Structure formats: structure tokens, C-alpha cells
Amino acid sequence: MLLGALLAVAGAAVGSGAGGGQPVSEAADGALSADATVVAPGSPAFSIWTVIYVGLVLFAVVQALPGRASDGRMRAVAWWVLASMLLNAVWIGVVQAGWLWASVAVIACLVAVLCVILVRLVRLPPGGRLDMVVTDVTVGLYLGWVCVATLANTAATLSASEVGALGLGASGWGVVLVVLGALVVSAVAVYGSRRPSVTVPVGLAAGWGLAWIAVARFEGPLTDQTVAVAAAAAAALAVAVPVALALRR
């Protein structure tokens, strides 16, 4: 697990441009840059990865502590968390190679793995505050952000492949995607309402990503007022629904 966390951090370093790699925003001919599509988040949005990586390293350290081998909740998710770390590193690798369609497949697998972890965390109560922070909060932030990243990744791949607007136009598809992101987060919040330690971080991370889509569309260089307003509303919804359900409980 510790090796997986270190691999994920090393992959992040490569994806930032260190160690001979290209920054993700410049890889694949800039297909994933902040102005590549109308649903690309502004560059500061990606700073959330620092928090996620810190959480993953802490999870790896905590699960290696004496006595954790008998922790049923930790055992239920540990290998899945490791799989998510490896998929994260693979995603950076395929983007560096310019294989955009492969990156969509990898990030879809990453979302699926994180959803499995979510289901298991909802079913099993945390053993204490430490478990809640390093497991629930980390996974919640990870899933919320990756949901937004999946929308951006898919849109960038379709744009780079010159698929076309399919009748809706860039603005229309932008609105559809950001609203879909908010609805997915809302569905997660309803499903996991008894475990707000997971669902509230999901909403916060998704709201963060959607808000930065709004900022990027308001300020440019690729401006789109329609998508900006829709993304801002979607960000508010993504945060409000899980918080409201948590307060209701």
C-alpha cells in the first residue's frame, strides 16, 4: 500500500512536469488544458490533488499500523484504494503518451473503483475519527474530483477527435455535462446520506471543480457565459445537497 501511494505521488510529479514528464495541461497537444473545452476547469482547480495525495499517503500509513490487519473496514477497502492509486498513475502515463481514448477508459475504471469503495464505506461505520478522516474524507474528495475530471477528460477527447457538437453546440453540451455532474453528486449524496463523512467531501470536491469551470468560462480565454452560469449553479447544487442531507440527519 505504501508503495502504491508513493507510485501515485511519483506519477503526480511526472504529471506536473517534473522528472522529464510534461505537465498534463501540455500533454496530448494541450487537449487537457484549461481552455481546451468549455468544461475544462481553470488551472488552480488541480491544486486539490495535493490534498488528495496527502490523504492517500496518510491512509497507507494508518493501514500499516499494528492492529490494523484485523480492522474489517480497512480490509474491505484497502486493496481497492491501492487499485485506485495504480489507475491514477496509469492515467498520467497514457496522457503523457497522448492516448486520449485510453485515458477515458482508465478514468472510467477509476470512477468505478472509487464507487466500489464508496459502497463499502457507506455500509461499514468508521472505527473512530482517525479512520473517518484518512478513509472517508480522502475517498470522498477523490471521488468528487474524479467525477468532474471524467467529464472534462471525455469532452477533451471528443473535441480532439473532432467528433463535432452533435446538434447541441459547445455551449449546449457544456451545460448538459455540468448539470450531469451535479446530478451524479446529488445521487451519491442521497445514496450515502447515512455516511456524510464521505458524501460531504464528495460534494465539496465536485463543487470545487465545477466552480473552477465557471471561473474559467467567465474569465477566458475561452469564455462562455451560458456554461459559466450553469457551472456555478451546478457547483452550488453539488455542495448544497450533501450538506443539506447531513444537516437533516
Side-chain angles (χ1 to χ4, degrees):
M1 180 64 69
L2 284 171
L3 289 176
L6 293 175
L7 179 61
V9 172
V14 172
S16 69
Q22 281 185 304
V24 168
S25 60
E26 298 176 10
D29 297 323
L32 298 171
S33 65
D35 59 354
T37 71
V38 294
V39 293
S43 297
F46 296 91
S47 61
I48 195 175
W49 274 118
T50 301
V51 180
I52 293 170
Y53 285 131
V54 169
L56 290 173
V57 171
L58 287 175
F59 175 86
V61 171
V62 169
Q63 66 86 37
L65 293 175
R68 286 290 175 169
S70 60
D71 187 323
R73 193 173 197 253
M74 194 69 76
R75 289 203 315 270
V77 301
W79 287 107
W80 291 98
V81 173
L82 176 59
S84 77
M85 295 177 185
L86 297 177
L87 284 168
N88 189 17
V90 170
W91 184 86
I92 291 173
V94 296
V95 168
Q96 292 286 314
W99 301 337
L100 288 175
W101 283 107
S103 74
V104 172
V106 173
I107 203 169
C109 290
L110 177 56
V111 170
V113 167
L114 291 173
C115 285
V116 171
I117 300 172
L118 170 75
V119 170
R120 296 186 174 206
L121 292 181
V122 169
R123 289 177 179 174
L124 301 170
R129 291 185 182 276
L130 180 61
D131 185 19
M132 184 178 70
V133 171
V134 302
T135 306
D136 295 32
V137 175
T138 297
V139 170
L141 292 174
Y142 199 176
L143 176 57
W145 170 252
V146 171
C147 284
V148 175
T150 301
L151 299 179
N153 193 168
T154 303
T157 301
L158 292 171
S159 177
S161 301
E162 299 181 351
V163 171
L166 302 177
L168 283 181
S171 295
W173 277 111
V175 171
V176 168
L177 289 174
V178 297
V179 170
L180 177 62
L183 292 176
V184 168
V185 172
S186 298
V188 168
V190 171
Y191 170 77
S193 59
R194 59 178 171 163
R195 202 72 66 220
S197 54
V198 182
T199 57
V200 170
V202 170
L204 292 175
W208 169 266
L210 292 166
W212 277 107
I213 292 175
V215 171
R217 299 295 78 77
F218 275 127
E219 297 182 352
L222 179 59
T223 58
D224 190 313
Q225 297 294 314
T226 302
V227 175
V229 171
L237 182 64
V239 173
V241 172
V243 169
L245 289 172
L247 292 175
R248 183 180 179 184
R249 287 184 64 84

